[in-house]
Amino acid sequence: SVGSSAQLRPLPADIDAHDPDWQQRLQAVMHSEPAVVRGLQYVESRRFGNMSGLNVPRLRELYRGRSVTTFTHMTHDTSAVDMSFDDFADRMNDEEEMLYARAMPDVTGAFNNFDLDWVAGTLWGRLWSWRFTQFTGGKPLQGRIGLGFVGSKHVWTQAHCDVGSSSFLMLHGRKRWVFFSPTQTRWMYPYGQYRNVAYNAGLDVFAPNLTEVPLFANVRGYEVVLQPGDVLFFPSFWWHGVQNLDDETVAVDLPLIDILGSWRRNAIFTLTSLLNPNVIGDSIGALLTGGSLRGVFFAGYRKEGLKEGE
């Protein structure tokens, strides 16, 4: 499997936040490959507020009576359902179910309680992209773009790549990430979706059957385990799969729409996303009715499709 083969090596850009040159080292690579800054949330605590306090009990308080997007299968594209957070939290450790709360919308403001302008503007140098990304959140979220991820160790994320770049904050528990560069797309058995807002790998990268997917034997990638306090940065269209390693994992993703960077990394995918008539029509409709582009994105994963007003 990919977990034990020589196809993976440790992520090269593994930076200690105590290094006085950590920011320069990060900015030298973050637009071309993934990078992790260890302990950044603690060293720069004034930038990250009380994010570390967002554990499952605290989220129960914040999301009481609210539903969250919950994936019920790790490889079926349309497995997401709406479930109350209390119900999800009660069942998340049941290994007979595959429940993973991915990209929870920030209806309370808890996932955006850090210096977003510093992350997007100073570190990424993409403040204009960040303003556009906030706009896509629409009225329901009032520009709150941070997304919550809560899961247990028996669930994972299918390898995929996204149009946006990401800053990923590990709050509780550990996650193992594997990365493959955009140059290896032809070996990932990629396929799009109804709206082409993300692209999935047509195989299980954690246990590939090379008889069925022989081209995957050509792939070389990176792996990294995130610890609480770490922040992972990765550019758009880098393939990534994620395994939860503990009974409780909580993290926040800050996506950043980066059209120019996406064009440089994978022009074909960028075009098939931007020019997809389904995403164009649904996006216009959502914004005209007070919805959001986020709602359009997740409609492709929901069993019931796009929710009115989202």
Side-chain angles (χ1 to χ4, degrees):
S1 74
V2 102
S4 60
S5 75
Q7 294 175 327
L8 295 176
R9 61 189 181 95
L11 187 69
D14 195 320
I15 304 165
D16 190 334
H18 292 93
D19 183 338
D21 296 323
W22 72 263
Q23 187 169 327
Q24 290 80 1
R25 292 180 60 194
L26 171 66
Q27 292 172 322
V29 299
M30 65 190 302
H31 293 286
S32 58
E33 63 183 65
V36 60
V37 183
R38 301 290 189 183
L40 183 60
Q41 296 176 61
Y42 304 145
V43 174
E44 294 283 346
S45 58
R46 65 189 179 93
R47 305 284 191 183
F48 292 98
N50 60 355
M51 297 294 290
S52 62
L54 294 179
N55 53 21
V56 170
R58 177 57 177 153
L59 290 173
R60 279 184 183 271
E61 297 175 5
L62 293 172
Y63 278 80
R64 181 154 290 124
R66 300 179 185 272
S67 64
V68 296
T69 304
T70 304
F71 286 71
T72 60
H73 196 282
M74 300 304 100
T75 58
H76 291 176
D77 290 342
T78 55
S79 74
V81 299
D82 288 326
M83 177 183 297
S84 75
F85 186 82
D86 276 335
D87 190 17
F88 163 75
D90 288 340
R91 298 160 55 186
M92 63 180 283
N93 292 114
D94 185 349
E95 295 191 8
E96 294 185 1
E97 297 190 271
M98 304 293 284
L99 300 181
Y100 192 1
R102 287 172 51 193
M104 294 165 50
D106 190 11
V107 296
T108 69
F111 298 146
N112 287 262
N113 188 24
F114 61 103
D115 193 339
L116 302 170
D117 285 354
W118 178 71
V119 173
T122 302
L123 297 186
W124 278 104
R126 293 288 189 272
L127 191 58
W128 63 272
S129 293
W130 169 233
R131 296 295 180 232
F132 178 71
T133 305
Q134 287 180 305
F135 167 76
T136 68
K139 293 180 181 178
L141 296 179
Q142 301 176 2
R144 296 191 297 264
I145 301 300
L147 303 170
F149 287 71
V150 183
S152 189
K153 62 184 178 182
H154 67 288
V155 297
W156 71 95
T157 302
Q158 180 184 12
H160 63 283
C161 65
D162 303 298
V163 177
S165 300
S166 282
S167 306
F168 195 89
L169 284 61
M170 196 71 236
L171 305 181
H172 290 278
R174 299 165 300 144
K175 287 178 180 284
R176 176 180 179 244
W177 291 66
V178 296
F179 285 102
F180 308 99
S181 79
T183 61
Q184 303 191 69
T185 294
R186 62 190 182 277
W187 297 321
M188 299 297 294
Y189 295 83
Y191 65 93
Q193 301 167 354
Y194 175 72
R195 295 174 181 84
N196 285 349
V197 291
Y199 299 85
N200 289 342
L203 72 152
D204 180 354
V205 298
F206 298 110
N209 183 338
L210 295 182
T211 302
E212 297 179 355
V213 289
L215 295 179
F216 188 68
N218 297 302
V219 168
R220 300 293 181 268
Y222 302 133
E223 66 178 328
V224 64
V225 173
L226 296 189
Q227 306 281 348
D230 295 345
V231 181
L232 175 70
F233 303 85
F234 60 95
S236 60
F237 287 136
W238 269 76
W239 295 92
H240 53 284
V242 188
Q243 292 174 309
N244 295 313
L245 300 181
D246 294 306
D247 289 335
E248 176 184 312
T249 66
V250 180
V252 171
D253 178 48
L254 180 67
L256 184 68
I257 297 174
D258 181 13
I259 300 300
L260 295 179
S262 296
W263 177 266
R264 289 193 297 269
R265 295 178 197 106
N266 194 322
I268 294 176
F269 276 12
T270 304
L271 280 176
T272 54
S273 295
L274 294 177
L275 301 181
N276 184 309
N278 298 310
V279 77
I280 292 173
D282 290 345
S283 297
I284 293 174
L287 294 177
L288 289 177
T289 58
S292 70
L293 297 188
R294 179 201 173 276
V296 172
F297 178 91
F298 279 97
Y301 293 99
R302 277 201 177 94
K303 289 184 177 181
E304 69 273 22
L306 184 62
K307 289 177 63 179
E308 183 177 354
E310 184 179 52

